[in-house]
Amino acid sequence: MRFAAGYSLIAGLVLATPAAAQGENDIVVTAPLLEEAARAFAREVAAPPAREDQLTRFESRVCPGIVGLSARQGQFVVDRISQRALELNLEVGTPGCRANILVIVTNNPDGVAQALADEQRYLMANYGMQENLNTRGAEALADFVETNRPIRWWHVSQTQTADGQVLGHTNPYGRLISVFEQEFRGTEVTRQSMANFGRLSRPTLQSVRNVVVIVDATGARNVRVDALADYIAMVSLSQTEPDANTDGYDTILNLFSDPPSGETGMTEWDLAYLQGLYSGRGNQVDASWQNRTIARRMRDELID
């Protein structure tokens, strides 16, 4: 994999080859170093729910919806998100499906964020532990409401079994197996299913229930629609840390960096990250193991 000179995949993780062999403007990254850089990136950007140390992803149909743009621009954004989902082998809802990725473009992002937190408690899962819903927690919700960014996002996930059954309520990880066993105690299904779980996997995983994305129409006014759509797709299909430091990585997440990155869409790096997230098992024991899987997949995708 080659990058133009002057671009650093990550400080200290590139090997330059002699100019006679590769040309003065080429940098070649070896597979082990690329995997190390990919793992560092995954650790930096991944943002698991507060009560569940597992990365979230869509396990069911994706249905994007948008308000606040013209019909033509809005359809472009919806189609772009859908296209990225299809590339990950996800099912995409038909026109008129109930949106589980809701994009709101507004000139009053702070007011909209506050209203969502105050009035749309189901949408934001802003109510204790009564339901089987997980978010990044109260502190992250306050950051979502109070921190002005060109784009802000909020994920709600739900705990489900590895074979797709949504649990009726949620518990700390230490009790999840007992809950699973109580529902199927004495059945052949339980004995067979539980036998499949080892020390590196759980009987449960985190499935995205819905995502809310707020776009500051003023802050994003100079951004190309294709770049904006891919940025939204990236932070919707993966639960991403808003304050992640992605300097030095070729990623759409730098779209609003200072100075702007100039990206016009997802990069090979971004696509490899998403492929890594969705190719591994969602019920790996924790986010650290999932990040390792992502890094290995990124290495394989990016090294020809």
Side-chain angles (χ1 to χ4, degrees):
M1 183 179 184
R2 298 181 184 178
F3 301 94
Y7 170 79
S8 174
L9 179 64
I10 187 170
L13 293 180
V14 294
L15 293 179
T17 56
Q22 296 293 340
E24 295 182 356
N25 293 325
D26 288 341
I27 292 174
V28 175
V29 181
T30 63
L33 295 178
L34 178 58
E35 183 176 340
E36 186 176 347
R39 189 178 302 177
F41 176 81
R43 287 196 303 264
E44 181 68 27
V45 302
R51 293 188 287 119
E52 295 289 344
D53 187 23
Q54 283 180 315
L55 305 185
T56 67
R57 65 185 192 182
F58 281 92
E59 299 289 341
S60 58
R61 183 177 62 180
V62 173
C63 180
I66 190 167
V67 295
L69 285 181
S70 67
R72 183 177 180 181
Q73 288 182 321
Q75 189 62 55
F76 179 90
V77 173
V78 166
D79 289 346
R80 189 64 161 246
I81 298 171
S82 299
Q83 173 192 341
R84 295 307 188 188
L86 289 171
E87 291 170 359
L88 299 171
N89 294 318
L90 295 173
E91 180 186 355
V92 175
T94 57
C97 60
R98 183 176 180 179
N100 55 11
I101 298 178
L102 175 60
V103 182
I104 304 171
V105 183
T106 175
N107 287 312
N108 182 24
D110 292 341
V112 170
Q114 187 67 65
L116 288 172
D118 292 343
E119 302 170 16
Q120 299 294 327
R121 302 186 71 190
Y122 176 80
L123 188 66
M124 309 299 287
N126 185 19
Y127 44 68
M129 297 175 61
Q130 302 95 322
E131 301 289 340
N132 172 32
L133 300 174
N134 299 307
T135 69
R136 296 191 61 212
E139 185 175 343
L141 181 60
D143 179 76
F144 170 85
V145 172
E146 298 168 4
T147 304
N148 190 289
R149 297 184 176 93
I151 300 181
R152 63 187 89 182
W153 54 90
W154 186 252
H155 286 66
V156 177
S157 63
Q158 54 192 4
T159 303
Q160 68 178 51
T161 62
D163 58 1
Q165 179 176 359
V166 177
L167 298 184
H169 54 89
T170 189
N171 290 274
Y173 170 53
R175 295 175 56 195
L176 281 174
I177 293 178
S178 63
V179 171
F180 184 83
E181 289 178 327
Q182 285 172 13
E183 294 193 13
F184 301 99
R185 180 171 293 164
T187 68
E188 188 63 25
V189 173
T190 298
R191 288 192 291 273
Q192 292 176 352
S193 299
M194 296 301 292
N196 293 329
F197 303 121
R199 66 182 182 88
L200 300 182
S201 61
R202 299 192 198 181
T204 56
L205 52 78
Q206 292 302 303
S207 172
V208 176
R209 189 197 71 173
N210 69 274
V211 184
V212 178
V213 180
I214 300 177
V215 180
D216 181 349
T218 301
R221 66 182 181 277
N222 295 323
V223 175
R224 290 174 46 145
V225 176
D226 50 357
L228 179 68
D230 263 359
Y231 188 101
I232 294 171
M234 183 72 175
V235 300
S236 298
L237 297 172
S238 62
Q239 189 165 359
T240 305
E241 167 59 58
D243 294 320
N245 180 4
T246 54
D247 292 345
Y249 297 99
D250 185 21
T251 171
I252 190 67
L253 296 176
N254 291 327
L255 182 64
F256 296 99
S257 61
D258 187 16
S261 67
E263 297 287 1
T264 59
M266 282 193 197
T267 65
E268 291 183 8
W269 186 265
D270 297 320
L271 295 172
Y273 176 80
L274 290 176
Q275 288 289 347
L277 174 63
Y278 280 89
S279 64
R281 292 178 291 108
N283 67 322
Q284 292 184 46
V285 67
D286 57 29
S288 177
W289 280 102
Q290 288 174 290
N291 286 335
R292 293 186 185 191
T293 299
I294 291 170
R296 288 193 295 269
R297 178 61 184 263
M298 292 180 71
R299 174 202 64 197
D300 294 342
E301 288 283 326
L302 296 170
I303 294 287
D304 295 329

